[in-house]
Amino acid sequence: MRSRKYLALLIAAFFLITQSGCWSSNEIEDLAVYAGMALDAGNENPEEKALEQEGGSYSKTNKITVTVQIVPLKTGSKDEVKGKTSPYMNISGTGDSILEIFRQFSLRLNKPIIGHHLKIIVISSQLLQERNIKQVTNFMLRDNDIRPSVKIFLSSGNAQQALSIKTPDEVPSFYINDVVKNQFRTSKLMDAVLLTDLDAMMHSKQSFILQNIIQAKKHIEFSGAGIIKGDTGRWIGNLTQEDVECIDWLTNQGDSGTIKTYDEQGNPITYEMKAMKTRIRVESDQDNQLTFQVHVETKGRISEDWDMEGNPALRSYQKEIEKLFKSKLTSMIEHLLSAMQNRYKVDVAKFCQAVRIQKPGLWKEVKSNWDEAFSASKINLDIDLQITDFGSTTK
């Protein structure tokens, strides 16, 4: 028995000795972890220009400016506890290769940067007017350090300014990342587009949208969406907040939403959607001319009504209000359809999915020039809106 016990201990010791450890690991304290990245059109900042004047230059053209948000800069210092030190640091570089710019950061920082905890990438629409989105995201899609769950946003202004916003004691990258969680409260927020989603969208060559961020006085707001043209990969314009809401209505993606309109006296009335279902039927003639029959059904409540005389509990009153909300929703969706078909000539509301599923043979013929086929199609809209609730009180 004793010999068996010694043999077991010997075998256990052998396996412990032969187990490989994390020989290539790096302590987190020895790395510069970046949580946010901003991509702008190439424009050197004063610091870069000053360094170049002192001889800090290399062979490049200024096509893109990359800003990374490193966090934390220090932990546990007295200055940080007193609020004197920012909990993050932004560093920018300009060139024509993101990888090379990152390597240049190693000449300016005392720690190598690492992207394992990257949360967001903000791309300026100006950059995507000049460059294909596939070009400026190529490095991120190839880099093993960057996770495919990174969220992608557009910025109407300078993207790096989004990483310098005022937040309540929080890193801007984390703050922006968390705003998306409010989607259950408003359909003006899109589903987050992840890096892996972006790869699939670009590969399909179909037009798509990215949530747009606007900035004012170091504050941000998610406002509408930027359109990326499928065949060019470039930004061509923006959709409004209401347009983004309507895309949710058309694609059955939204589980929350409101419609605000006005009665004849100018009083605001607000409808809160509680249930919604949209069906799209595809029809085509001998010339492959497409017609979409769009039927929207929604049920909800009157959540706010400034009319002091009306009684929301009366069915007659509800029917009159239903007409107002139906007219408003029709106007909103028609505005979106006009923007897609006439102004930008793109399908970013996934009408293509209905064609692909219902008429696969036809889809094979039109998918190569789908935006053009969609723009020439006819869309008939039918809305069934019912008020089923008026809240806890009528007066």
Side-chain angles (χ1 to χ4, degrees):
M1 289 291 292
R2 182 173 296 178
S3 61
R4 290 182 179 179
K5 182 177 180 180
Y6 289 146
L7 179 61
L9 290 173
L10 182 62
I11 293 173
F14 172 78
F15 279 114
L16 286 173
I17 293 172
T18 57
Q19 293 301 304
S20 61
C22 297
W23 59 271
S24 63
S25 65
N26 293 302
E27 296 296 330
I28 191 69
E29 293 83 1
D30 299 328
L31 300 172
V33 178
Y34 63 93
M37 182 189 301
L39 305 176
D40 287 291
N43 185 20
E44 290 182 321
N45 59 35
E47 180 183 350
E48 290 181 275
K49 292 178 180 178
L51 289 171
E52 286 193 0
Q53 289 176 358
E54 295 298 323
S57 61
Y58 64 97
S59 176
K60 64 183 176 71
T61 57
N62 295 329
K63 294 183 177 180
I64 186 170
T65 295
V66 182
T67 303
V68 293
Q69 186 158 86
I70 299 172
V71 55
L73 183 59
K74 289 184 179 180
T75 56
S77 68
K78 293 181 180 180
D79 285 341
E80 185 180 355
V81 172
K82 293 179 181 179
K84 294 181 180 180
T85 304
S86 172
Y88 65 90
M89 179 182 75
N90 292 346
I91 183 171
S92 299
T94 303
D96 49 17
S97 165
I98 295 178
L99 175 59
E100 189 174 35
I101 292 171
F102 277 20
R103 295 297 182 261
Q104 288 297 119
F105 288 156
S106 298
L107 304 179
R108 299 163 60 186
L109 299 172
N110 64 342
K111 298 176 182 179
I113 63 172
I114 193 75
H116 290 158
H117 297 281
L118 180 63
K119 301 296 183 185
I120 65 166
I121 298 175
V122 184
I123 309 173
S124 75
S125 56
Q126 180 187 353
L127 175 63
L128 293 184
Q129 285 181 278
E130 303 172 2
R131 312 289 173 192
N132 187 301
I133 191 172
K134 195 170 185 178
Q135 292 176 314
V136 301
T137 58
N138 184 269
F139 168 74
M140 283 72 83
L141 291 166
R142 291 172 178 262
D143 188 13
N144 291 329
D145 285 349
I146 296 176
R147 298 174 180 175
S149 58
V150 175
K151 297 181 179 70
I152 311 295
F153 302 100
L154 285 182
S155 172
S156 292
N158 193 291
Q160 63 178 295
Q161 289 181 359
L163 301 185
S164 303
I165 59 173
K166 292 181 180 178
T167 63
D169 301 323
E170 193 173 355
V171 176
S173 295
F174 297 157
Y175 185 88
I176 294 172
N177 184 64
D178 289 342
V179 172
V180 180
K181 297 177 182 178
N182 290 329
Q183 190 185 26
F184 77 101
R185 302 297 291 175
T186 173
S187 55
K188 293 179 180 178
L189 279 172
M190 294 171 45
D191 284 335
V193 175
L194 309 182
L195 186 60
T196 185
D197 299 328
L198 182 66
D199 189 24
M201 290 172 174
M202 293 187 300
H203 182 73
S204 71
K205 294 188 181 297
Q206 301 296 321
S207 300
F208 59 92
I209 56 175
L210 296 172
Q211 185 83 62
N212 189 51
I213 298 176
I214 59 175
Q215 303 133 29
K217 296 184 179 180
K218 289 200 170 184
H219 294 280
I220 60 108
E221 180 174 297
F222 282 28
S223 181
I227 303 172
I228 307 300
K229 180 75 171 170
D231 56 357
T232 65
R234 299 195 178 192
W235 175 89
I236 60 172
N238 287 328
L239 296 178
T240 68
Q241 294 184 22
E242 287 188 345
D243 290 336
V244 170
E245 281 189 295
C246 291
I247 288 178
D248 271 358
W249 286 83
L250 292 174
T251 57
N252 285 309
Q253 296 297 314
D255 54 9
S256 63
T258 61
I259 304 172
K260 182 190 70 176
T261 189
Y262 301 89
D263 62 20
E264 294 181 355
Q265 288 72 42
N267 296 310
I269 314 170
T270 307
Y271 169 89
E272 184 178 8
M273 183 262 288
K274 293 300 180 183
M276 180 266 293
K277 184 176 182 180
T278 299
R279 295 188 298 273
I280 299 177
R281 191 174 77 252
V282 184
E283 300 173 354
S284 61
D285 58 22
Q286 295 179 348
D287 298 324
N288 289 341
Q289 177 69 33
L290 289 167
T291 300
F292 294 96
Q293 306 293 345
V294 179
H295 181 68
V296 180
E297 294 181 8
T298 177
K299 296 180 180 180
R301 65 166 61 174
I302 302 175
S303 290
E304 187 175 10
D305 182 0
W306 285 31
D307 182 2
M308 301 301 294
E309 303 299 328
N311 185 355
L314 297 177
R315 184 55 190 156
S316 58
Y317 181 83
Q318 292 176 10
K319 285 185 176 181
E320 290 300 317
I321 300 302
E322 284 175 353
K323 293 178 182 178
L324 296 176
F325 286 132
K326 180 178 177 179
S327 176
K328 176 62 176 180
L329 181 57
T330 300
S331 175
M332 289 169 57
I333 295 178
E334 286 179 346
H335 181 274
L336 169 65
L337 295 176
S338 177
M340 290 195 298
Q341 289 190 293
N342 302 323
R343 184 175 181 183
Y344 298 117
K345 299 186 183 300
V346 293
D347 170 26
V348 292
K350 300 180 181 179
F351 280 84
C352 58
Q353 298 292 352
V355 180
R356 183 181 62 82
I357 294 171
Q358 298 178 33
K359 293 185 176 294
L362 177 59
W363 172 244
K364 291 180 180 179
E365 297 181 26
V366 300
K367 69 177 181 179
S368 60
N369 61 337
W370 170 243
D371 282 338
E372 291 76 8
F374 169 75
S375 299
S377 66
K378 183 178 181 181
I379 301 177
N380 297 323
L381 185 61
D382 177 43
I383 294 177
D384 180 9
L385 185 148
Q386 296 181 34
I387 295 174
T388 58
D389 188 6
F390 47 83
S392 59
T393 181
T394 61
K395 294 291 185 182

